[in-house]
Amino acid sequence: MKKQLALYQQRVNDALTHFLTSHQTAPTELAEAIRYATLNNGKRLRPALVYATGEALGMSLDKLDAAACAIELVHSYSLVHDDLPAMDDDDLRRGVPTCHIKYGEATAILVGDAQQTLAFDCLANGTNLSDKHKVSMVQILSQASGTVGMIGGQFIDIHSEGKLPSLSALQKMHQMKTGALIQAALLLGACQSDRFDALRPNLAYFAEKIGLAFQIQDDILDIESNTETLGKPQGSDEDADKATYPKLIGLDASKNMRDTLISEAKECLTKMDIQSDFLISIAGYIADRNH
Amino acid sequence: MKKQLALYQQRVNDALTHFLTSHQTAPTELAEAIRYATLNNGKRLRPALVYATGEALGMSLDKLDAAACAIELVHSYSLVHDDLPAMDDDDLRRGVPTCHIKYGEATAILVGDAQQTLAFDCLANGTNLSDKHKVSMVQILSQASGTVGMIGGQFIDIHSEGKLPSLSALQKMHQMKTGALIQAALLLGACQSDRFDALRPNLAYFAEKIGLAFQIQDDILDIESNTETLGKPQGSDEDADKATYPKLIGLDASKNMRDTLISEAKECLTKMDIQSDFLISIAGYIADRNH
């Protein structure tokens, strides 16, 4: 699995590098800041899910590059904006200074804006894609990353600091903030397949399970890992007085919940008759990862 | 012309209101802030250009609504982000408190992000549009609003404060910052027409002329108008030590340049054989407007 993940990471990094250097007339310093915020040692989990889902359904990788790049650009823009002083105010991301620390706040706002624009640009100009599939992809990505998904979740998150929500409210927030984009990765990978309409509900279910497990593991790591391994400050949830699963239900119950979610996700894959060792192992990886 | 503009304004305001209230599951306060930043007494110049260009080429208005809404959402998000403390730090916009003054900085960042997402959502889900035209529209809008257009121009602008650029550098910056989106309005309006490929170069030329004239008039108004009429602080360019046409070539030469550009734009319309009283008058309106 780790070998396959490394291959997917390499592929999306190459595709992103190619895409980001093809806009020759952009201001040099802005282009550099966009590359800084995009081409780093991110886990590339979402692009890997795009590739793995597509491959499991018989798609060739060159029909998945645009979606892989686009979803990473959206994820990456959300990190740049979430790190801003007015939001989470983080100085460190993926082991290096955050975009606004390195380039200033105004540039970081524009970098995030541009990454979002580039994501849709990338889909609309994707090679080897029919117009029908380009449109589906823009629909999936805009829905998942908008007010009913990622942005809505982030809004709820920043307005919940210092409050202790119910478990279901916390799950709803995470389903929007991180789950929706993980779900989009599965849907983007699958949407060119003839089986897409039939599989869609189960893909969404699988994504919801691993998305929540991923978030719970994030909360656990914020307690149990260290700054060097994480590439961002350990304990920052506690410092920001954020609602987390460990805070709400305790550390052990959080680990149990994470493991149950992973089991349910794996069962769902079997039900869908999707042959993908990678997708099976990625579910396990989400629970085991240390950063 | 003013009557026609009012009709277009009303139409895009209705379409935006309908579109923005159809996302029922978004967090209530976020949805309210997005409506606040979008549904105001903006001039709706870009949607009007979409409608007028499309109508001049025989399109029905219901095939132009998605593009009209999308371009206004992009324009509007750029204003929300440009007004932020880290950017232009403006308190007043279109006569009312800016989004971050009313809702706080974090929400304003998310509102701008969401408006951009909604723009592409709106195009991809536009009614009465073929997949081919949806893809063309996403391509046109992402190109015009990205690093080689609006965002790139804004980047150059904020990094030029306190410096006096050459006239050609100032024109290049404005062509990117405001010209590219005005050009996109014309192209979005025209792209469903059979004549689109043939007309595209002249539409771009016309847009470049009125875009620059629009910017020069903005600079002139910042000197000659007053805060109440403008709906934003008069003299803010001077306060921010911004490079403007009057500062670079003087007020009279700026007015002459604006008038020459408008004449060239009108000639270009005749050359294209586009029958549109509205487009002819809009060119004049750009020079005459007082806010």
Side-chain angles (χ1 to χ4, degrees):
Chain A
M1 199 282 293
K2 289 212 166 144
K3 207 173 142 193
Q4 187 61 45
L5 181 60
L7 287 174
Y8 289 150
Q9 285 167 339
Q10 186 61 49
R11 184 166 181 108
V12 74
N13 287 339
D14 289 349
L16 281 168
T17 304
H18 177 75
F19 179 65
L20 291 181
T21 47
S22 62
H23 287 76
Q24 298 292 353
T25 55
T28 316
E29 304 81 1
L30 176 61
E32 183 198 312
I34 291 170
R35 283 195 297 273
Y36 176 83
T38 314
L39 305 171
N40 45 37
N41 55 354
K43 289 186 284 289
R44 310 305 191 202
L45 176 67
R46 291 153 196 81
L49 288 171
V50 172
Y51 285 131
T53 308
E55 282 209 301
L57 294 168
M59 299 293 129
S60 61
L61 289 174
D62 60 353
K63 284 170 158 272
L64 300 161
D65 285 329
C69 288
I71 201 162
E72 188 64 18
L73 281 162
V74 164
H75 173 58
S76 188
Y77 110 69
S78 77
L79 300 182
V80 170
H81 281 185
D82 286 3
D83 287 338
L84 286 168
M87 306 271 268
D88 292 349
D89 196 13
D90 280 321
D91 293 353
L92 205 60
R93 167 70 68 179
R94 291 171 176 174
V96 294
T98 47
C99 191
H100 67 274
I101 295 291
K102 175 110 174 151
Y103 293 99
E105 220 178 312
T107 296
I109 293 168
L110 292 174
V111 164
D113 289 345
Q115 286 174 308
Q116 180 176 185
T117 317
L118 286 165
F120 292 107
D121 182 327
C122 184
L123 289 180
N125 290 292
T127 46
N128 306 312
L129 295 179
S130 69
D131 285 341
K132 182 189 163 197
H133 293 139
K134 287 177 181 176
V135 170
S136 295
M137 288 177 173
V138 175
Q139 287 172 342
I140 291 167
L141 190 58
S142 61
Q143 190 74 10
S145 63
T147 55
V148 300
M150 186 183 79
I151 293 174
Q154 174 67 2
F155 179 85
I156 295 172
D157 194 18
I158 56 171
H159 286 87
S160 314
E161 281 175 23
K163 297 175 205 157
L164 210 60
S166 68
L167 182 62
S168 69
L170 188 66
Q171 286 185 326
K172 176 84 201 303
M173 184 274 282
H174 284 140
Q175 173 54 19
M176 292 172 76
K177 186 180 171 181
T178 53
L181 208 59
I182 287 176
Q183 181 176 312
L186 277 284
L187 301 182
L188 288 170
C191 73
Q192 296 175 83
S193 161
D194 295 337
R195 296 178 62 200
F196 181 51
D197 288 340
L199 288 175
R200 192 167 182 158
N202 277 323
L203 286 171
Y205 179 89
F206 173 80
E208 190 182 327
K209 300 296 167 185
I210 64 168
L212 278 179
F214 184 83
Q215 187 58 51
I216 296 173
Q217 180 66 4
D218 244 22
D219 289 355
I220 294 168
L221 287 174
D222 193 68
I223 295 170
E224 294 197 333
S225 188
N226 58 64
T227 301
E228 198 187 338
T229 312
L230 286 175
K232 61 184 177 182
Q234 182 270 334
S236 60
D237 289 344
E238 193 58 40
D239 293 348
D241 203 12
K242 285 218 168 189
T244 65
Y245 291 92
K247 198 182 289 177
L248 215 57
I249 58 173
L251 192 57
D252 287 341
S254 299
K255 288 177 181 177
N256 286 338
M257 186 186 279
R258 174 198 66 193
D259 295 338
T260 306
L261 288 163
I262 295 299
S263 301
E264 290 170 341
K266 285 180 179 172
E267 280 166 33
C268 177
L269 269 187
T270 316
K271 214 187 303 173
M272 278 191 282
D273 190 26
I274 285 190
Q275 312 293 338
S276 170
D277 291 343
F278 182 80
L279 286 178
I280 295 170
S281 347
I282 201 95
Y285 161 79
I286 280 172
D288 289 338
R289 74 201 164 88
N290 63 359
H291 72 284
Chain B
M1 197 281 294
K2 288 211 166 145
K3 207 173 142 193
Q4 186 62 48
L5 181 59
L7 287 173
Y8 288 150
Q9 285 168 339
Q10 187 60 49
R11 185 169 180 106
V12 76
N13 287 340
D14 289 348
L16 281 168
T17 303
H18 177 75
F19 179 65
L20 292 181
T21 47
S22 62
H23 287 76
Q24 299 290 357
T25 56
T28 316
E29 304 82 0
L30 177 61
E32 182 199 314
I34 291 170
R35 283 196 296 273
Y36 177 82
T38 313
L39 305 171
N40 45 36
N41 54 351
K43 287 186 286 290
R44 312 304 191 202
L45 176 67
R46 291 153 197 81
L49 288 171
V50 172
Y51 285 130
T53 307
E55 281 209 302
L57 294 168
M59 299 294 128
S60 61
L61 289 174
D62 59 353
K63 283 170 159 271
L64 300 163
D65 286 328
C69 288
I71 202 163
E72 189 64 17
L73 281 162
V74 165
H75 173 57
S76 188
Y77 110 69
S78 79
L79 299 183
V80 170
H81 280 186
D82 287 4
D83 287 338
L84 286 168
M87 305 271 268
D88 292 350
D89 196 14
D90 280 320
D91 293 352
L92 204 60
R93 166 72 67 181
R94 292 172 174 172
V96 294
T98 48
C99 191
H100 66 274
I101 294 291
K102 175 111 175 151
Y103 292 100
E105 218 178 313
T107 296
I109 293 168
L110 292 174
V111 164
D113 290 346
Q115 287 173 308
Q116 180 176 184
T117 317
L118 286 166
F120 292 108
D121 183 326
C122 184
L123 289 181
N125 291 293
T127 46
N128 306 313
L129 294 179
S130 69
D131 285 341
K132 182 187 163 200
H133 292 138
K134 287 177 180 176
V135 170
S136 294
M137 288 178 173
V138 175
Q139 288 172 341
I140 290 167
L141 190 59
S142 61
Q143 191 74 11
S145 63
T147 56
V148 301
M150 186 184 79
I151 294 174
Q154 174 67 1
F155 179 84
I156 296 172
D157 194 19
I158 57 170
H159 286 87
S160 312
E161 281 176 23
K163 297 174 205 159
L164 210 59
S166 67
L167 182 61
S168 69
L170 187 67
Q171 286 185 325
K172 175 83 199 304
M173 184 274 282
H174 285 140
Q175 172 54 21
M176 293 171 76
K177 186 180 171 182
T178 52
L181 208 59
I182 286 175
Q183 181 176 311
L186 278 282
L187 301 182
L188 288 170
C191 74
Q192 296 176 82
S193 160
D194 295 338
R195 295 177 64 200
F196 181 50
D197 288 341
L199 288 176
R200 191 167 182 156
N202 277 324
L203 286 170
Y205 178 89
F206 173 80
E208 191 182 326
K209 300 296 166 184
I210 64 168
L212 277 179
F214 184 83
Q215 187 58 51
I216 296 172
Q217 181 65 4
D218 245 21
D219 289 354
I220 292 168
L221 287 174
D222 193 68
I223 295 170
E224 294 197 334
S225 189
N226 59 64
T227 300
E228 198 187 339
T229 311
L230 285 174
K232 62 184 178 183
Q234 181 270 333
S236 61
D237 290 344
E238 191 60 38
D239 293 349
D241 204 11
K242 286 218 169 189
T244 64
Y245 291 92
K247 199 182 285 174
L248 215 58
I249 57 173
L251 192 58
D252 287 341
S254 299
K255 289 177 180 177
N256 285 338
M257 185 185 280
R258 174 199 67 193
D259 295 338
T260 306
L261 288 163
I262 295 299
S263 300
E264 289 170 341
K266 286 180 179 174
E267 280 167 34
C268 177
L269 268 187
T270 315
K271 215 188 302 175
M272 279 192 280
D273 191 25
I274 285 189
Q275 313 293 340
S276 169
D277 290 343
F278 182 82
L279 286 178
I280 294 171
S281 341
I282 200 95
Y285 163 77
I286 281 173
D288 289 338
R289 72 199 165 92
N290 64 358
H291 70 285

